[in-house]
Structures are given as C-alpha cells and as structure tokens.
Amino acid sequence: MATQVVMPKLSPTMEEGQVARWLKKEGDKVSMGEPIAEIDTDKATMEMQALSAGVLRKVLVQEGESAPLGQPIAIIGEPDEDISALLKSEPAPAKEAPANEEAPAKEEAPAKEDAPAKEEAAAQPETTPESEAAPAGEQKKAAPQPEIAREVQTDGKRPNGGRMLVSPIAARMAAESGVDLNSVKGSGPSGRIVKRDIEEAMKAPQAASPGATPKLSLVRPMAVPAGQPGATYGPSAYRDEPMSEMRRTIAKRLVTSLGPVPHFFLTTEIEMDRAADMRQQINTLYPDAKVSINDVIIKVAAVALIQHPQVNASFQDKTVRHYEHADIGVAVATENGLITPIVRAADVKSLLDIATEVRELAGRARSRKLKPEEYMGATFSISNLGMFGIDEFTAVINPPEAAILAVGAMKPKPIVREDQIEIHQMMRVTMSCDHRVVDGAVGAQFLQTFKQILENPLYLFLG
Amino acid sequence: MAVITMRDALNDALREELARDPNVFLMGEEVAEYQGAYKVTRGLLQEFGAKRVIDTPITELGFAGLGVGAAMVGLRPIIEFMTFNFSILAADQMVNSAAKMLYMSGGQYKIPIVFRGPGGSAYQVSSQHSQALESWYAFFPGLKVVMPSTPADAKGLLKSAIRDDDPVIFIEQERMYGMKGEVPEDEDFTIPLGVADVKREGTDATIVARSLMVPTALKAAEELEKEGISCEVIDPRTIRPLDIDTIITSVQKTNRVVVAEESHPFCGVSAEITAEIQERAFDYLDAPVKRVSGVDVPMPYAKNLERLAIPDVPQIVAAVREVAYV
C-alpha cells in the first residue's frame, strides 16, 4: 500500500526542512530504513530514512525546495499501484507535527498489537508524522515492525529522528578543538560520537581552518570568458544558489543582532613596496597611463574576488547570488555626496584599462553625468581615504554587496623582520563584511589572497 | 615481609592492638574457647585472658548493645559477628545507638567500637548466610564502613579501625580468609580510613572494585591487557568515608568506568559511586558508567546457580569492552 513520506523533525528547533538532495530517483526501489534523501535543517544536513519499503513513486518536493514539518514530500508504494488518491490528498498541516513528541506516539501505540512495539514507537518519534499523514487504515502497515526499527537504530546512522549521540567528553573536546560534530561519524553504539572519533577528527587536516595559509591558486573557479581588450561589459552575470537552511538561520540571527546588514570588520596591513614600484615602472613606460595605487588595488581585489567567489556575492531574499565577474564600485567623493561608479569586470581588464576607466568615471561622477547603470549594481566596493591621510577606517557596506574594502594611506613604517628593523611602505586595509553571506574565515582567506597578490604583484601576470 | 593469610593478618592486628591498649577487648560468639568460628581469634584467649576475649551467648542485639555501652564509658570493644548476616539482629544497636550517640549526646560520648566479621558470599550457605550488607551500613551517617581486599590492607585497616573514635563496620569477605599476601610486621603499620588504593595503574578504563571483586578485577585487567586495553583498578577500601577524589582522578584519566561489586545492584554502593562520578566528572565520561553487580535475587543454594549470582572475570571483561567500545 502506498504511503506518503513527510518532512521529518530532525532537530528540536526545526520548523521546516529543505530537500538538499534526493538519494533515490522516482522509480528506484527503497527498503525500510534506507536513506532516501538529505534534508537541510536549521542546524545540519541529515539523512532521512525510508519508513516503508517499495518504490519511490513520486517526488513531491524537489531538491532545493523547502517544506514545513509533516508535509508530504514523496510517495512510496508498489510499482504499479494507483497513487492518485495520495497525490490529491491534502497535505498534513504543519501544526499537526508533534510538538510533544511523546503524545502522538501514545495514540499510535494501540494500533499495534505487540507490547515491544509500544516502546519502539516511543523511542522513535519520527515514525509518527508519517503514520499521521497516511490515510486511516494504512497506519498499521506504515508503522515499522519492531525488529526492523531496531536495525535502523543501530546501523551507525543517527537514530531517534537524527538526534546526535555524543559522549560528554567527546562533546567537550569537540567544543574545545573546534571539530564540527556534524562532520564526525560516531563509532560508539548507535553511532555515538566518542573520544576516539574526535581524536581521529583532530588528526585529520581541517578543510578550511582559518589559520592555514591558502595556497594561492590562479585557477579560476568559475568559467570566465577571456577579456577582450576594449570590450565593454554590462553588469556581471550571476548564478543564484538556493540558500541553505543554515545560511538562512545565520542571516536571521545576525540581522536581529546588528541591523539589516550585520557587519563585521577585518583589518590587515600590507607591504606596498613592490606594488608601488610596479606602478612607478608602468608609469615610466606609459607616461600617459597615470596608473594610481588605487587602480592596482582595484585590479588585485578583482582577481582575489574571482578566487573567493563567496565574497563576490550578495544576500538575496532566498538565495545567495554569486557573480561571474568582479564589478568593482569605486567610492568617489563629490560636492553632492558619495557616489560609487563601477568598473565592470575588473578581473579581466588590464591595469591600463582600469586606470583610464576610473579616471573617466570619476570625472563624470564629479560633474554628475553618470548614468544609473554606471553606479548601480557593483559586486564589491573599494573606498580609499589614503589621500586624506587616513591610516585606517571602516566603510559601510553598500547593499546588496557583501563587502567593502576601506583603504588607508600608504606610508613608510618601521617593520621588524628577522630581528632587524626595516622601513617599508605599509598600508592598512579594513574589509567590512556582510555576515549573512561572508563568514569570518571566508573573509580572512580573501584578504590573505588580496594581500599576497598586492605584496607580490607579479602574481597578476601569472593568471 | 612475611607472606601470610588474611586470617592471620587480622589475627596479628587484633593481637597487636589488644597488647597496645588495655581498653581494647574482644567479644562475640565462639571467639574465645573455640578460637573463632573462622579462626581469626586463634590464641587470643590464651594470650590475653577471659576478661579481654569474651565468649557470648547467641544474643547479637545484647552483646552489640553491651559493646556500645562499654564504648560510652571509655573502653574500645571489638564485636565479632560470626557472620555479618547475624548483625541484622543487632542492627538497632548499631544504627540507632552506635551511629547516633555522638550526635545525640552533643559530642559527649564517643563510640570507639568495631563491629567485625565475615560478610558477602560464602560457599553454598544460601540466602540467609550469604549476603553483602555494606550498603545498609554505609547509608547511616555516623558509621564508617571498611572492606579490605588484601591481607596487608586487612591488617592496616583493622588497626586503624580499632584506634578510631567512631563506630566502624569492618566486613571481611568470607571467601578471602585463606588469601595470602605480603604483610608488614611493623606494629605501627596502619592504613588510614577513607583513602583508596590504586591496585593497578592503567589508561583506558577504570574498574572500581572492593573486597572480593578486587582480585577478580585484577584478573580481568590482566586478560584485557592482552587485548590492548589498559585498566586501572581502584579499591576504595573504605566504603564510608568514600575516597571519591581518587576515583574521579582516575576517571578523568581513563574516561570510562566499570563499578564491580558482589552485592545487589539496587541502591547499592555502586549506585552511589556512579552518581558521584556523573556529578563530578560528567564532562570526562566517554561512555555511560557500567555496573557489574551480584544478581538481584536472594543468593541461591545450588552451587551452579550460586556461581552465576556472583560477578566473575568474564563479566568484568565484557563490561570493560562495552565501555571501551570494542
């Protein structure tokens, strides 16, 4: 008999879940207890197990789509069964999802005849929503047999509706060492994460540990068409990625804490000797070019952004928008106020082109001759107050951009290198990040790349 | 150091204390003329005379009460129960008089008395003669409860118990009287009450065991060592006061605990130890504390069933494997 698969409650605070991935296609055979989908909750991505056997007949909620608790998301039945009744049936309202996990389990118990089944029902609250959504009379068959249910519990996956089992010391070690428990597979009974699992995880290199120096890669993560000299660029193409539940939760929380765009700030100091040399040499070769340090910064930022697409992004209502090109907004002070003309696709433009374009845009900005598309829709902005002798400051993000870089004055400073005091041209930059999109480590990694290229601008010619 | 039995170690302790302090005297059924039902008091009547080593009729409540009265007036009685099973008859004197007299007299009366004798499981003496009652006595504030697991501990702890100004329940495991071990001959050798002993050091799991379960746990630890599991065996030696600090220190090192005991599990000493561990070392636990206890039934008479009712080496080995997740 066909049954509906409903959105399970996989965390105590979960209200809706997003189907991250279907592990089965329509027409695939599924057995009871087999993982059929990955569900993104507000906390983590977890596997959802089939509570009945048969064939996955119909997927009702597609990958990337969300559904409230208790809403049918698929139908499992016999291959040739008529499922039209289930397709038409009203989705179970979310409020019927068990607020108190034990109460519905008790209601369900009388439907079963054997006493052990009662305990299983109490121990496995996730069986409840499905049984409730299933048409009356089918309840008994939809409920898992105790033996099989027990297998499900001990197959190393997370039992009890995805509740994570962690020993106290493992939990503490994970908290102290920063190991993400979601990434650890438990080796204890019922998949309990125990001390040795954390020790293993601590030995394994962390994928994106903030302290690690990322290897500078000039391989472009996104296919970027090679820039044609002189080509004109409209606003950057982009790709909208469905927002994960976790990202949505981060966004919601941070906004309640810090205004509509929750900022945080990252500051670093960059040695500018080589960049300044390079600029001087270029200007010697092309006296008309008048490349400024700011132009170099624009170019380097654009190249670094392409390597860190998470920063070259913006927070949209339901998605995070990733841009193909780095359209850099350059803050220009005018008599009437601040305006940020945009260097489109700065990542593929030459320094000379950027320099020419910035001068031209800034000129028209001051005479208020910019068209709206020339100052709206950057993917990232740079604000430079170095010419006013400002050492360091924080700039305010221009929504929906995810970050803005505040550039201070370049000036010679004593620097300690290998116990020697040397004098170098130093410049401090502070990036303001929209925490809904850019997390601390992500922003820091971007800045690391930015600094590395600026300190060795030859990297620009290797890409 | 001489290698002697626990029986002889206890005899040495009694002799040395009777000789050292004229206020010490020994009283109980068969302790004098018969030389002790388990021969623990052998030779003491001859050495110290009938005023110091006194045979009593079968009147547990009577001679226990007489002992409490003697303690109130400054003597230091040692009351032997032929087995601790019979102490149940004297429980009112032990629990209501001995334990509470210091408190109820506002500190005017110290009760320096020792109630001692065999306890725990024996050999086919069935349910009325084969029970571990330590959790009963440990329950009452005012009583100290001691259970040695080696001849040396037996001697050192008994001497401390006799010198202690509070009532002490001293339970000797009946099966262990013949157990041999090195015992210091020094007359000043004592072991303080309330100090646990690490019987074996280890890193992977802690076995808390007392009395008969100590040698059992040590054998289990040897077997587990072959599998690469290193066990620490802690013997609290005194049930009350309980040296929980030593246990906690060990748990913090190993993160895994098995508490082994002969007595029934429900409201037993292992329950108390387990509760203390979870209160004080919760964040150090890698597995739930596992208890290995005697079976929760009256002790069977039948030999095969009796053997099944008392924890053995394989049970402790299995419990350690369970908490070590192997």
Side-chain angles (χ1 to χ4, degrees):
Chain A
M1 196 70 94
T3 52
Q4 289 172 323
V5 178
V6 300
M7 178 59 71
K9 188 177 174 78
L10 297 171
S11 86
T13 52
M14 172 178 175
E15 283 165 9
E16 64 170 19
Q18 183 182 51
V19 178
R21 198 154 69 92
W22 280 104
L23 303 170
K24 296 281 173 188
K25 296 193 298 290
E26 285 181 10
D28 282 359
K29 261 192 86 179
V30 293
S31 45
M32 204 185 287
E34 192 179 7
I36 54 171
E38 288 176 3
I39 304 293
D40 231 1
T41 75
D42 53 340
K43 299 248 166 35
T45 302
M46 286 189 283
E47 280 182 355
M48 180 180 75
Q49 293 162 1
L51 297 173
S52 55
V55 164
L56 183 62
R57 290 291 303 278
K58 181 81 188 155
V59 167
L60 302 170
V61 173
Q62 304 302 322
E63 290 182 2
E65 289 177 1
S66 296
L69 291 186
Q71 183 182 309
I73 60 174
I75 294 167
I76 292 177
E78 298 302 320
D80 48 358
E81 201 176 343
D82 177 19
I83 58 167
S84 52
L86 284 180
L87 284 173
K88 271 181 257 154
S89 72
E90 289 288 304
K95 66 171 157 47
E96 269 188 40
N100 176 342
E101 295 187 355
E102 263 181 65
K106 279 189 200 131
E107 285 165 32
E108 190 195 16
K112 300 182 182 179
E113 272 145 53
D114 43 356
K118 265 188 201 171
E119 288 167 17
E120 290 300 330
Q124 284 208 304
E126 82 267 35
T127 63
T128 308
E130 167 156 326
S131 306
E132 282 190 332
E138 290 179 12
Q139 239 181 17
K140 236 170 106 179
K141 282 194 179 165
Q145 294 301 304
E147 291 78 355
I148 296 163
R150 203 169 291 125
E151 268 173 38
V152 172
Q153 285 208 327
T154 54
D155 67 352
K157 297 287 184 309
R158 311 248 149 98
N160 290 339
R163 196 180 109 73
M164 185 189 282
L165 300 180
V166 193
S167 82
I169 192 166
R172 200 177 53 139
M173 287 168 69
E176 284 169 4
S177 62
V179 167
D180 178 9
L181 286 171
N182 285 310
S183 67
V184 178
K185 193 169 150 43
S187 67
S190 303
R192 180 186 293 142
I193 297 170
V194 299
K195 186 179 165 190
R196 63 170 173 237
D197 301 324
I198 305 294
E199 285 167 347
E200 283 302 309
M202 281 163 71
K203 266 185 244 158
Q206 291 289 293
S209 68
T213 308
K215 240 183 138 176
L216 186 65
S217 152
L218 290 166
V219 177
R220 291 160 196 248
M222 274 196 275
V224 175
Q228 292 160 3
T232 53
Y233 287 89
S236 171
Y238 57 79
R239 166 179 65 88
D240 278 357
E241 194 178 286
M243 203 171 292
S244 66
E245 280 299 323
M246 184 176 164
R247 180 56 59 197
R248 211 191 305 277
T249 305
I250 289 176
K252 240 185 315 190
R253 299 266 164 79
L254 294 174
V255 164
T256 53
S257 150
L258 200 69
V261 179
H263 289 51
F264 69 90
F265 309 97
L266 300 169
T267 301
T268 188
E269 193 167 57
I270 300 169
E271 190 209 294
M272 295 295 287
D273 295 358
R274 291 196 183 86
D277 274 351
M278 179 182 80
R279 169 188 169 246
Q280 214 163 27
Q281 285 171 34
I282 292 173
N283 289 340
T284 315
L285 290 171
Y286 296 90
D288 289 338
K290 292 188 182 149
V291 170
S292 71
I293 279 292
N294 204 47
D295 299 330
V296 176
I297 290 168
I298 293 168
K299 176 66 190 174
V300 171
V303 169
L305 281 170
I306 295 304
Q307 286 182 38
H308 296 273
Q310 284 156 287
V311 182
N312 197 38
S314 69
F315 184 86
Q316 303 291 321
D317 194 19
K318 291 227 177 256
T319 58
V320 174
R321 180 164 293 176
H322 296 280
Y323 299 96
E324 221 170 85
H325 283 294
D327 296 353
I328 308 284
V330 185
V332 174
T334 71
E335 282 172 6
N336 302 299
L338 183 81
I339 195 159
T340 51
I342 298 162
V343 183
R344 300 279 176 194
D347 51 306
V348 295
K349 284 181 179 161
S350 75
L351 257 177
L352 293 182
D353 287 341
I354 290 172
T356 314
E357 201 173 318
V358 169
R359 238 188 359 258
E360 195 266 333
L361 284 167
R364 283 199 289 126
R366 291 195 183 96
S367 53
R368 302 181 67 184
K369 282 186 183 146
L370 286 179
K371 288 174 269 179
E373 63 268 25
E374 289 179 301
Y375 59 81
M376 283 168 68
T379 67
F380 184 88
S381 286
I382 291 173
S383 178
N384 191 337
L385 295 179
M387 58 288 258
F388 301 110
I390 297 296
D391 290 330
E392 178 181 8
F393 69 106
T394 55
V396 177
I397 292 174
N398 188 15
E401 297 163 46
I404 184 166
L405 194 69
V407 180
M410 185 172 86
K411 53 166 76 162
K413 274 194 193 170
I415 300 293
V416 178
R417 288 242 170 97
E418 292 174 5
D419 291 337
Q420 297 294 315
I421 295 173
E422 303 174 14
I423 293 175
H424 290 284
Q425 292 287 337
M426 301 304 290
M427 178 181 87
R428 288 176 82 84
V429 297
T430 298
M431 182 162 73
S432 313
C433 304
D434 179 350
H435 206 334
R436 295 172 303 174
V437 183
V438 179
D439 294 334
V442 168
Q445 283 163 350
F446 163 83
L447 268 190
Q448 232 171 350
T449 304
F450 174 78
K451 174 174 170 160
Q452 208 167 353
I453 300 175
L454 205 49
E455 291 189 337
N456 297 283
L458 276 178
Y459 277 125
L460 287 177
F461 303 101
L462 299 175
Chain B
M1 274 189 286
V3 174
I4 58 173
T5 61
M6 186 184 281
R7 172 184 290 114
D8 290 338
L10 291 163
N11 184 268
D12 285 352
L14 292 171
R15 176 179 294 106
E16 285 168 20
E17 293 308 302
L18 280 162
R20 194 182 69 88
D21 182 349
N23 287 324
V24 173
F25 72 99
L26 179 68
M27 184 162 58
E29 293 156 10
E30 312 280 27
V31 296
E33 297 290 345
Y34 188 67
Q35 310 281 300
Y38 291 84
K39 303 300 169 213
V40 172
T41 56
R42 188 165 49 200
L44 298 180
L45 172 66
Q46 287 71 20
E47 196 169 338
F48 297 101
K51 274 192 163 178
R52 309 281 303 281
V53 182
I54 304 162
D55 270 330
T56 65
I58 307 177
T59 54
E60 274 79 11
L61 182 70
F63 65 78
L66 201 149
V68 174
M72 285 173 75
V73 296
L75 299 179
R76 304 184 86 85
I78 303 165
I79 304 298
E80 177 176 306
F81 292 116
M82 192 180 286
T83 92
F84 256 93
N85 296 281
F86 308 153
S87 77
I88 294 171
L89 293 160
D92 180 62
Q93 281 303 329
M94 300 161 76
V95 165
N96 272 330
S97 295
K100 294 164 186 166
M101 196 56 71
L102 178 72
Y103 169 75
M104 291 181 70
S105 70
Q108 294 180 77
Y109 289 112
K110 289 177 187 156
I111 309 294
I113 190 170
V114 176
F115 299 99
R116 55 154 290 275
S121 65
Y123 298 100
Q124 276 198 279
V125 289
S126 194
S127 46
Q128 292 181 329
H129 295 80
S130 204
Q131 36 194 343
L133 297 173
E134 56 268 27
S135 65
W136 275 35
Y137 294 115
F139 180 71
F140 295 102
L143 294 180
K144 293 179 177 171
V145 181
V146 180
M147 293 185 88
S149 69
T150 67
D153 284 358
K155 182 179 179 186
L157 290 166
L158 183 53
K159 286 167 73 81
S160 293
I162 294 167
R163 296 180 192 186
D164 199 282
D165 280 345
D166 292 316
V168 178
I169 312 294
F170 195 93
I171 304 175
E172 302 144 14
Q173 217 296 339
E174 196 166 329
R175 294 165 182 259
M176 295 175 85
Y177 279 133
M179 179 191 187
K180 286 189 174 172
E182 287 190 340
V183 178
E185 283 150 77
D186 178 9
E187 287 188 8
D188 288 326
F189 166 68
T190 57
I191 293 170
L193 307 185
V195 179
D197 188 32
V198 180
K199 294 288 190 230
R200 179 195 170 99
E201 297 210 355
T203 54
D204 298 334
T206 298
I207 307 173
V208 182
R210 61 182 185 273
S211 188
L212 182 65
M213 285 302 111
V214 172
T216 313
L218 288 169
K219 276 187 213 129
E222 267 169 46
E223 281 199 20
L224 288 157
E225 187 73 58
K226 290 178 207 149
E227 297 175 20
I229 301 173
S230 154
C231 292
E232 187 142 299
V233 177
I234 306 275
D235 175 8
R237 299 196 290 201
T238 341
I239 309 309
R240 190 161 179 168
L242 181 67
D243 180 6
I244 193 69
D245 292 344
T246 299
I247 295 171
I248 296 298
T249 304
S250 177
V251 173
Q252 286 173 342
K253 179 166 80 170
T254 64
N255 313 123
R256 286 164 275 259
V257 199
V258 169
V259 186
E261 67 185 351
E262 262 190 274
S263 63
H264 307 305
F266 195 88
C267 293
V269 174
S270 67
E272 176 66 26
I273 293 174
T274 304
E276 287 275 358
I277 291 170
Q278 74 83 19
E279 272 186 16
R280 297 190 185 210
F282 179 76
D283 286 323
Y284 290 90
L285 288 176
D286 200 28
V289 177
K290 178 87 188 160
R291 289 193 280 162
V292 178
S293 302
V295 174
D296 202 15
V297 295
M299 180 64 76
Y301 166 74
K303 195 173 184 179
N304 54 344
L305 296 180
E306 184 186 59
R307 201 160 47 227
L308 289 172
I310 307 163
D312 56 8
V313 172
Q315 278 183 51
I316 295 178
V317 167
V320 170
R321 284 198 195 117
E322 196 179 323
V323 298
Y325 300 124
V326 290

